[in-house]
Amino acid sequence: MFHKAPINCFALHPTSNIIVSGDLEGGVFYSNYVTGEFGSILATHAESVESIAFCKNPVNPYCVSCGIDTKIIIYDIKKFEVRHKVQAAKVGGFTKV
């Protein structure tokens, strides 16, 4: 399974071949951009994903996504799972991490 909606944003891992992408329907997926192998969905935002970023410190294998739904989701990239979710506000949204 991969994106069914148009991809809105993505980020490349600073030291490995991982790309994490977000779409207009809230899906966040990972894949390997060298082999072309698709991973799976990491999480779902209620609305479009607007920004994705990786932690540049190699000791912390984290990635974060934010969206119009005012959620910030932190992922553990070694385990490919959600580490923490933050509901930041009731209205508004985020456009940049």
Side-chain angles (χ1 to χ4, degrees), residues 48-91:
S48 70
V49 180
E50 296 295 313
S51 184
I52 295 172
F54 282 96
C55 178
K56 291 183 175 45
N57 183 340
V59 175
N60 299 315
Y62 304 129
C63 179
V64 63
S65 65
C66 67
I68 295 299
D69 61 356
T70 72
K71 284 184 186 169
I72 299 169
I73 304 176
I74 302 167
Y75 311 93
D76 182 325
I77 293 303
K78 282 190 177 177
K79 297 178 182 176
F80 293 107
E81 64 184 23
V82 172
R83 180 172 170 87
H84 192 69
K85 291 183 181 182
V86 178
Q87 183 73 48
K90 301 233 183 242
V91 295

mmCIF file of all heavy atoms in Angstrom, residues 48-91:
data_model
loop_
_atom_site.group_PDB
_atom_site.id
_atom_site.type_symbol
_atom_site.label_atom_id
_atom_site.label_comp_id
_atom_site.label_asym_id
_atom_site.label_seq_id
_atom_site.Cartn_x
_atom_site.Cartn_y
_atom_site.Cartn_z
ATOM 1 N N SER A 48 -4.605 17.157 5.527
ATOM 2 C CA SER A 48 -3.367 17.068 4.753
ATOM 3 C C SER A 48 -2.112 17.223 5.608
ATOM 4 O O SER A 48 -2.086 17.970 6.581
ATOM 5 C CB SER A 48 -3.353 18.111 3.634
ATOM 6 O OG SER A 48 -3.216 19.404 4.155
ATOM 7 N N VAL A 49 -1.085 16.477 5.209
ATOM 8 C CA VAL A 49 0.235 16.582 5.832
ATOM 9 C C VAL A 49 0.955 17.721 5.130
ATOM 10 O O VAL A 49 1.046 17.752 3.902
ATOM 11 C CB VAL A 49 1.033 15.267 5.681
ATOM 12 C CG1 VAL A 49 2.392 15.390 6.339
ATOM 13 C CG2 VAL A 49 0.242 14.106 6.264
ATOM 14 N N GLU A 50 1.464 18.658 5.912
ATOM 15 C CA GLU A 50 2.057 19.862 5.326
ATOM 16 C C GLU A 50 3.577 19.889 5.383
ATOM 17 O O GLU A 50 4.210 20.563 4.582
ATOM 18 C CB GLU A 50 1.502 21.103 6.034
ATOM 19 C CG GLU A 50 0.011 21.291 5.839
ATOM 20 C CD GLU A 50 -0.349 21.553 4.396
ATOM 21 O OE1 GLU A 50 0.310 22.393 3.750
ATOM 22 O OE2 GLU A 50 -1.280 20.901 3.886
ATOM 23 N N SER A 51 4.181 19.168 6.327
ATOM 24 C CA SER A 51 5.637 19.224 6.452
ATOM 25 C C SER A 51 6.150 17.971 7.152
ATOM 26 O O SER A 51 5.481 17.428 8.035
ATOM 27 C CB SER A 51 6.032 20.475 7.243
ATOM 28 O OG SER A 51 7.431 20.622 7.306
ATOM 29 N N ILE A 52 7.343 17.545 6.756
ATOM 30 C CA ILE A 52 8.020 16.390 7.342
ATOM 31 C C ILE A 52 9.487 16.752 7.498
ATOM 32 O O ILE A 52 10.067 17.395 6.612
ATOM 33 C CB ILE A 52 7.876 15.145 6.442
ATOM 34 C CG1 ILE A 52 6.414 14.721 6.369
ATOM 35 C CG2 ILE A 52 8.740 13.994 6.959
ATOM 36 C CD1 ILE A 52 6.139 13.631 5.362
ATOM 37 N N ALA A 53 10.099 16.332 8.612
ATOM 38 C CA ALA A 53 11.526 16.591 8.821
ATOM 39 C C ALA A 53 12.143 15.463 9.639
ATOM 40 O O ALA A 53 11.465 14.836 10.454
ATOM 41 C CB ALA A 53 11.722 17.927 9.540
ATOM 42 N N PHE A 54 13.429 15.232 9.406
ATOM 43 C CA PHE A 54 14.192 14.253 10.168
ATOM 44 C C PHE A 54 15.056 14.960 11.203
ATOM 45 O O PHE A 54 15.554 16.064 10.940
ATOM 46 C CB PHE A 54 15.121 13.449 9.253
ATOM 47 C CG PHE A 54 14.427 12.375 8.485
ATOM 48 C CD1 PHE A 54 14.003 12.599 7.188
ATOM 49 C CD2 PHE A 54 14.205 11.136 9.049
ATOM 50 C CE1 PHE A 54 13.371 11.607 6.468
ATOM 51 C CE2 PHE A 54 13.563 10.134 8.341
ATOM 52 C CZ PHE A 54 13.145 10.369 7.053
ATOM 53 N N CYS A 55 15.293 14.304 12.320
ATOM 54 C CA CYS A 55 16.268 14.763 13.300
ATOM 55 C C CYS A 55 17.648 14.523 12.692
ATOM 56 O O CYS A 55 17.925 13.432 12.197
ATOM 57 C CB CYS A 55 16.108 13.985 14.603
ATOM 58 S SG CYS A 55 17.304 14.457 15.863
ATOM 59 N N LYS A 56 18.478 15.520 12.703
ATOM 60 C CA LYS A 56 19.793 15.395 12.076
ATOM 61 C C LYS A 56 20.829 14.741 12.979
ATOM 62 O O LYS A 56 21.916 14.408 12.549
ATOM 63 C CB LYS A 56 20.255 16.760 11.603
ATOM 64 C CG LYS A 56 19.420 17.259 10.442
ATOM 65 C CD LYS A 56 19.919 18.567 9.917
ATOM 66 C CE LYS A 56 19.214 19.049 8.701
ATOM 67 N NZ LYS A 56 17.808 18.997 8.642
ATOM 68 N N ASN A 57 20.494 14.535 14.241
ATOM 69 C CA ASN A 57 21.395 13.865 15.177
ATOM 70 C C ASN A 57 21.267 12.356 14.984
ATOM 71 O O ASN A 57 20.204 11.791 15.193
ATOM 72 C CB ASN A 57 21.030 14.263 16.608
ATOM 73 C CG ASN A 57 21.948 13.664 17.635
ATOM 74 O OD1 ASN A 57 22.634 12.676 17.392
ATOM 75 N ND2 ASN A 57 21.967 14.256 18.807
ATOM 76 N N PRO A 58 22.350 11.652 14.590
ATOM 77 C CA PRO A 58 22.252 10.208 14.321
ATOM 78 C C PRO A 58 21.910 9.364 15.546
ATOM 79 O O PRO A 58 21.474 8.227 15.429
ATOM 80 C CB PRO A 58 23.634 9.848 13.771
ATOM 81 C CG PRO A 58 24.532 10.943 14.176
ATOM 82 C CD PRO A 58 23.688 12.166 14.359
ATOM 83 N N VAL A 59 22.079 9.910 16.734
ATOM 84 C CA VAL A 59 21.741 9.190 17.957
ATOM 85 C C VAL A 59 20.226 9.109 18.142
ATOM 86 O O VAL A 59 19.707 8.178 18.741
ATOM 87 C CB VAL A 59 22.398 9.876 19.182
ATOM 88 C CG1 VAL A 59 21.977 9.218 20.481
ATOM 89 C CG2 VAL A 59 23.903 9.877 19.038
ATOM 90 N N ASN A 60 19.502 10.076 17.590
ATOM 91 C CA ASN A 60 18.046 10.134 17.706
ATOM 92 C C ASN A 60 17.412 9.836 16.352
ATOM 93 O O ASN A 60 17.284 10.723 15.518
ATOM 94 C CB ASN A 60 17.603 11.518 18.196
ATOM 95 C CG ASN A 60 18.159 11.836 19.554
ATOM 96 O OD1 ASN A 60 18.136 11.007 20.450
ATOM 97 N ND2 ASN A 60 18.684 13.037 19.711
ATOM 98 N N PRO A 61 16.976 8.607 16.116
ATOM 99 C CA PRO A 61 16.433 8.234 14.804
ATOM 100 C C PRO A 61 14.967 8.632 14.656
ATOM 101 O O PRO A 61 14.086 7.787 14.536
ATOM 102 C CB PRO A 61 16.589 6.709 14.806
ATOM 103 C CG PRO A 61 16.388 6.342 16.244
ATOM 104 C CD PRO A 61 17.002 7.468 17.030
ATOM 105 N N TYR A 62 14.695 9.927 14.694
ATOM 106 C CA TYR A 62 13.315 10.392 14.690
ATOM 107 C C TYR A 62 12.985 11.192 13.440
ATOM 108 O O TYR A 62 13.830 11.825 12.831
ATOM 109 C CB TYR A 62 13.029 11.254 15.921
ATOM 110 C CG TYR A 62 13.321 10.553 17.214
ATOM 111 C CD1 TYR A 62 14.111 11.143 18.184
ATOM 112 C CD2 TYR A 62 12.813 9.285 17.472
ATOM 113 C CE1 TYR A 62 14.389 10.493 19.370
ATOM 114 C CE2 TYR A 62 13.083 8.625 18.655
ATOM 115 C CZ TYR A 62 13.874 9.235 19.601
ATOM 116 O OH TYR A 62 14.151 8.575 20.771
ATOM 117 N N CYS A 63 11.706 11.157 13.132
ATOM 118 C CA CYS A 63 11.139 11.947 12.054
ATOM 119 C C CYS A 63 9.853 12.553 12.616
ATOM 120 O O CYS A 63 9.219 11.969 13.501
ATOM 121 C CB CYS A 63 10.831 11.036 10.869
ATOM 122 S SG CYS A 63 10.106 11.871 9.457
ATOM 123 N N VAL A 64 9.469 13.708 12.115
ATOM 124 C CA VAL A 64 8.260 14.369 12.598
ATOM 125 C C VAL A 64 7.430 14.837 11.410
ATOM 126 O O VAL A 64 7.971 15.225 10.386
ATOM 127 C CB VAL A 64 8.609 15.543 13.553
ATOM 128 C CG1 VAL A 64 9.396 16.607 12.832
ATOM 129 C CG2 VAL A 64 7.383 16.136 14.188
ATOM 130 N N SER A 65 6.107 14.750 11.572
ATOM 131 C CA SER A 65 5.200 15.286 10.557
ATOM 132 C C SER A 65 4.210 16.215 11.236
ATOM 133 O O SER A 65 3.901 16.062 12.420
ATOM 134 C CB SER A 65 4.453 14.162 9.826
ATOM 135 O OG SER A 65 3.589 13.470 10.694
ATOM 136 N N CYS A 66 3.733 17.186 10.479
ATOM 137 C CA CYS A 66 2.698 18.078 11.005
ATOM 138 C C CYS A 66 1.695 18.329 9.895
ATOM 139 O O CYS A 66 1.983 18.155 8.712
ATOM 140 C CB CYS A 66 3.288 19.382 11.526
ATOM 141 S SG CYS A 66 3.989 20.446 10.274
ATOM 142 N N GLY A 67 0.489 18.716 10.307
ATOM 143 C CA GLY A 67 -0.548 18.917 9.314
ATOM 144 C C GLY A 67 -1.560 19.977 9.695
ATOM 145 O O GLY A 67 -1.502 20.568 10.770
ATOM 146 N N ILE A 68 -2.506 20.151 8.796
ATOM 147 C CA ILE A 68 -3.574 21.118 8.996
ATOM 148 C C ILE A 68 -4.460 20.721 10.175
ATOM 149 O O ILE A 68 -5.122 21.557 10.767
ATOM 150 C CB ILE A 68 -4.397 21.244 7.688
ATOM 151 C CG1 ILE A 68 -3.519 21.828 6.580
ATOM 152 C CG2 ILE A 68 -5.643 22.082 7.868
ATOM 153 C CD1 ILE A 68 -2.983 23.214 6.860
ATOM 154 N N ASP A 69 -4.446 19.452 10.561
ATOM 155 C CA ASP A 69 -5.268 18.978 11.682
ATOM 156 C C ASP A 69 -4.708 19.379 13.048
ATOM 157 O O ASP A 69 -5.227 18.964 14.071
ATOM 158 C CB ASP A 69 -5.430 17.459 11.623
ATOM 159 C CG ASP A 69 -4.115 16.711 11.719
ATOM 160 O OD1 ASP A 69 -3.041 17.353 11.766
ATOM 161 O OD2 ASP A 69 -4.165 15.468 11.720
ATOM 162 N N THR A 70 -3.652 20.170 13.095
ATOM 163 C CA THR A 70 -2.958 20.662 14.296
ATOM 164 C C THR A 70 -2.236 19.560 15.068
ATOM 165 O O THR A 70 -1.852 19.767 16.207
ATOM 166 C CB THR A 70 -3.879 21.447 15.261
ATOM 167 O OG1 THR A 70 -4.776 20.547 15.902
ATOM 168 C CG2 THR A 70 -4.641 22.547 14.565
ATOM 169 N N LYS A 71 -2.009 18.414 14.443
ATOM 170 C CA LYS A 71 -1.252 17.342 15.096
ATOM 171 C C LYS A 71 0.210 17.389 14.677
ATOM 172 O O LYS A 71 0.535 17.690 13.528
ATOM 173 C CB LYS A 71 -1.802 15.964 14.719
ATOM 174 C CG LYS A 71 -3.070 15.599 15.401
ATOM 175 C CD LYS A 71 -3.457 14.181 15.023
ATOM 176 C CE LYS A 71 -4.812 13.849 15.596
ATOM 177 N NZ LYS A 71 -5.336 12.601 15.042
ATOM 178 N N ILE A 72 1.062 17.055 15.635
ATOM 179 C CA ILE A 72 2.468 16.817 15.387
ATOM 180 C C ILE A 72 2.703 15.358 15.761
ATOM 181 O O ILE A 72 2.374 14.948 16.876
ATOM 182 C CB ILE A 72 3.357 17.746 16.236
ATOM 183 C CG1 ILE A 72 3.085 19.204 15.885
ATOM 184 C CG2 ILE A 72 4.832 17.393 16.054
ATOM 185 C CD1 ILE A 72 3.720 20.191 16.835
ATOM 186 N N ILE A 73 3.240 14.568 14.832
ATOM 187 C CA ILE A 73 3.466 13.154 15.096
ATOM 188 C C ILE A 73 4.959 12.874 14.964
ATOM 189 O O ILE A 73 5.578 13.226 13.960
ATOM 190 C CB ILE A 73 2.663 12.251 14.144
ATOM 191 C CG1 ILE A 73 1.166 12.590 14.237
ATOM 192 C CG2 ILE A 73 2.899 10.786 14.481
ATOM 193 C CD1 ILE A 73 0.296 11.827 13.257
ATOM 194 N N ILE A 74 5.518 12.232 15.994
ATOM 195 C CA ILE A 74 6.943 11.892 16.028
ATOM 196 C C ILE A 74 7.076 10.389 15.809
ATOM 197 O O ILE A 74 6.392 9.598 16.462
ATOM 198 C CB ILE A 74 7.575 12.312 17.362
ATOM 199 C CG1 ILE A 74 7.393 13.823 17.566
ATOM 200 C CG2 ILE A 74 9.051 11.922 17.407
ATOM 201 C CD1 ILE A 74 7.695 14.299 18.969
ATOM 202 N N TYR A 75 7.979 10.003 14.914
ATOM 203 C CA TYR A 75 8.176 8.597 14.552
ATOM 204 C C TYR A 75 9.573 8.130 14.937
ATOM 205 O O TYR A 75 10.534 8.881 14.807
ATOM 206 C CB TYR A 75 8.032 8.404 13.034
ATOM 207 C CG TYR A 75 6.795 9.032 12.468
ATOM 208 C CD1 TYR A 75 6.818 10.323 11.954
ATOM 209 C CD2 TYR A 75 5.592 8.345 12.452
ATOM 210 C CE1 TYR A 75 5.677 10.910 11.442
ATOM 211 C CE2 TYR A 75 4.448 8.926 11.930
ATOM 212 C CZ TYR A 75 4.507 10.205 11.435
ATOM 213 O OH TYR A 75 3.376 10.790 10.928
ATOM 214 N N ASP A 76 9.668 6.887 15.370
ATOM 215 C CA ASP A 76 10.948 6.217 15.556
ATOM 216 C C ASP A 76 11.251 5.521 14.233
ATOM 217 O O ASP A 76 10.569 4.571 13.854
ATOM 218 C CB ASP A 76 10.846 5.201 16.690
ATOM 219 C CG ASP A 76 12.162 4.508 16.974
ATOM 220 O OD1 ASP A 76 12.937 4.258 16.023
ATOM 221 O OD2 ASP A 76 12.418 4.194 18.144
ATOM 222 N N ILE A 77 12.261 6.000 13.520
ATOM 223 C CA ILE A 77 12.546 5.493 12.192
ATOM 224 C C ILE A 77 13.250 4.133 12.223
ATOM 225 O O ILE A 77 13.164 3.367 11.277
ATOM 226 C CB ILE A 77 13.359 6.539 11.393
ATOM 227 C CG1 ILE A 77 12.476 7.753 11.128
ATOM 228 C CG2 ILE A 77 13.884 5.993 10.086
ATOM 229 C CD1 ILE A 77 11.183 7.449 10.388
ATOM 230 N N LYS A 78 13.922 3.786 13.302
ATOM 231 C CA LYS A 78 14.516 2.447 13.391
ATOM 232 C C LYS A 78 13.440 1.371 13.505
ATOM 233 O O LYS A 78 13.567 0.291 12.959
ATOM 234 C CB LYS A 78 15.462 2.359 14.589
ATOM 235 C CG LYS A 78 16.797 2.997 14.346
ATOM 236 C CD LYS A 78 17.774 2.676 15.440
ATOM 237 C CE LYS A 78 19.115 3.287 15.101
ATOM 238 N NZ LYS A 78 20.091 3.081 16.146
ATOM 239 N N LYS A 79 12.356 1.688 14.215
ATOM 240 C CA LYS A 79 11.267 0.723 14.407
ATOM 241 C C LYS A 79 10.108 0.958 13.435
ATOM 242 O O LYS A 79 9.185 0.163 13.373
ATOM 243 C CB LYS A 79 10.747 0.814 15.840
ATOM 244 C CG LYS A 79 11.777 0.451 16.879
ATOM 245 C CD LYS A 79 11.202 0.614 18.271
ATOM 246 C CE LYS A 79 12.235 0.310 19.323
ATOM 247 N NZ LYS A 79 11.704 0.555 20.680
ATOM 248 N N PHE A 80 10.121 2.078 12.731
ATOM 249 C CA PHE A 80 9.037 2.480 11.826
ATOM 250 C C PHE A 80 7.690 2.444 12.544
ATOM 251 O O PHE A 80 6.744 1.790 12.111
ATOM 252 C CB PHE A 80 9.019 1.628 10.550
ATOM 253 C CG PHE A 80 10.216 1.863 9.693
ATOM 254 C CD1 PHE A 80 11.218 0.922 9.598
ATOM 255 C CD2 PHE A 80 10.361 3.052 8.999
ATOM 256 C CE1 PHE A 80 12.341 1.152 8.816
ATOM 257 C CE2 PHE A 80 11.472 3.293 8.211
ATOM 258 C CZ PHE A 80 12.462 2.340 8.124
ATOM 259 N N GLU A 81 7.626 3.181 13.654
ATOM 260 C CA GLU A 81 6.388 3.271 14.415
ATOM 261 C C GLU A 81 6.255 4.648 15.047
ATOM 262 O O GLU A 81 7.229 5.387 15.166
ATOM 263 C CB GLU A 81 6.325 2.183 15.485
ATOM 264 C CG GLU A 81 7.391 2.309 16.548
ATOM 265 C CD GLU A 81 7.374 1.158 17.552
ATOM 266 O OE1 GLU A 81 6.861 0.083 17.222
ATOM 267 O OE2 GLU A 81 7.885 1.352 18.656
ATOM 268 N N VAL A 82 5.038 4.972 15.453
ATOM 269 C CA VAL A 82 4.771 6.255 16.096
ATOM 270 C C VAL A 82 5.347 6.225 17.504
ATOM 271 O O VAL A 82 5.117 5.289 18.268
ATOM 272 C CB VAL A 82 3.256 6.548 16.143
ATOM 273 C CG1 VAL A 82 2.970 7.790 16.978
ATOM 274 C CG2 VAL A 82 2.712 6.713 14.736
ATOM 275 N N ARG A 83 6.106 7.258 17.832
ATOM 276 C CA ARG A 83 6.675 7.386 19.175
ATOM 277 C C ARG A 83 5.793 8.264 20.056
ATOM 278 O O ARG A 83 5.608 7.995 21.221
ATOM 279 C CB ARG A 83 8.082 7.959 19.091
ATOM 280 C CG ARG A 83 8.746 8.129 20.431
ATOM 281 C CD ARG A 83 10.205 8.502 20.258
ATOM 282 N NE ARG A 83 10.806 8.904 21.503
ATOM 283 C CZ ARG A 83 11.351 8.066 22.366
ATOM 284 N NH1 ARG A 83 11.358 6.785 22.117
ATOM 285 N NH2 ARG A 83 11.889 8.527 23.477
ATOM 286 N N HIS A 84 5.240 9.335 19.461
ATOM 287 C CA HIS A 84 4.431 10.264 20.254
ATOM 288 C C HIS A 84 3.556 11.117 19.329
ATOM 289 O O HIS A 84 3.961 11.443 18.213
ATOM 290 C CB HIS A 84 5.345 11.176 21.081
ATOM 291 C CG HIS A 84 4.639 11.962 22.118
ATOM 292 N ND1 HIS A 84 4.081 11.408 23.240
ATOM 293 C CD2 HIS A 84 4.382 13.283 22.201
ATOM 294 C CE1 HIS A 84 3.524 12.352 23.968
ATOM 295 N NE2 HIS A 84 3.695 13.505 23.355
ATOM 296 N N LYS A 85 2.365 11.470 19.809
ATOM 297 C CA LYS A 85 1.474 12.394 19.096
ATOM 298 C C LYS A 85 1.173 13.580 19.995
ATOM 299 O O LYS A 85 0.948 13.409 21.189
ATOM 300 C CB LYS A 85 0.154 11.719 18.730
ATOM 301 C CG LYS A 85 0.262 10.662 17.674
ATOM 302 C CD LYS A 85 -1.109 10.107 17.325
ATOM 303 C CE LYS A 85 -1.006 9.022 16.282
ATOM 304 N NZ LYS A 85 -2.331 8.512 15.902
ATOM 305 N N VAL A 86 1.153 14.748 19.398
ATOM 306 C CA VAL A 86 0.825 15.973 20.120
ATOM 307 C C VAL A 86 -0.332 16.647 19.401
ATOM 308 O O VAL A 86 -0.255 16.894 18.188
ATOM 309 C CB VAL A 86 2.031 16.948 20.166
ATOM 310 C CG1 VAL A 86 1.650 18.238 20.869
ATOM 311 C CG2 VAL A 86 3.228 16.293 20.822
ATOM 312 N N GLN A 87 -1.405 16.916 20.119
ATOM 313 C CA GLN A 87 -2.508 17.712 19.576
ATOM 314 C C GLN A 87 -2.273 19.127 20.070
ATOM 315 O O GLN A 87 -2.487 19.420 21.240
ATOM 316 C CB GLN A 87 -3.859 17.185 20.054
ATOM 317 C CG GLN A 87 -5.040 17.915 19.462
ATOM 318 C CD GLN A 87 -5.256 17.572 18.002
ATOM 319 O OE1 GLN A 87 -5.263 16.421 17.624
ATOM 320 N NE2 GLN A 87 -5.420 18.587 17.177
ATOM 321 N N ALA A 88 -1.807 19.998 19.200
ATOM 322 C CA ALA A 88 -1.322 21.298 19.623
ATOM 323 C C ALA A 88 -2.400 22.344 19.847
ATOM 324 O O ALA A 88 -2.260 23.195 20.703
ATOM 325 C CB ALA A 88 -0.311 21.818 18.620
ATOM 326 N N ALA A 89 -3.470 22.303 19.098
ATOM 327 C CA ALA A 89 -4.504 23.331 19.215
ATOM 328 C C ALA A 89 -5.819 22.783 18.694
ATOM 329 O O ALA A 89 -5.864 21.733 18.071
ATOM 330 C CB ALA A 89 -4.106 24.566 18.425
ATOM 331 N N LYS A 90 -6.884 23.480 18.945
ATOM 332 C CA LYS A 90 -8.189 23.058 18.443
ATOM 333 C C LYS A 90 -8.465 23.608 17.048
ATOM 334 O O LYS A 90 -9.203 23.018 16.271
ATOM 335 C CB LYS A 90 -9.288 23.512 19.400
ATOM 336 C CG LYS A 90 -9.107 22.953 20.779
ATOM 337 C CD LYS A 90 -10.360 22.262 21.218
ATOM 338 C CE LYS A 90 -10.179 21.784 22.639
ATOM 339 N NZ LYS A 90 -10.252 20.387 22.763
ATOM 340 N N VAL A 91 -7.871 24.747 16.733
ATOM 341 C CA VAL A 91 -8.050 25.352 15.409
ATOM 342 C C VAL A 91 -6.694 25.765 14.858
ATOM 343 O O VAL A 91 -5.728 25.886 15.586
ATOM 344 C CB VAL A 91 -8.972 26.601 15.473
ATOM 345 C CG1 VAL A 91 -10.369 26.216 15.873
ATOM 346 C CG2 VAL A 91 -8.406 27.638 16.411
#
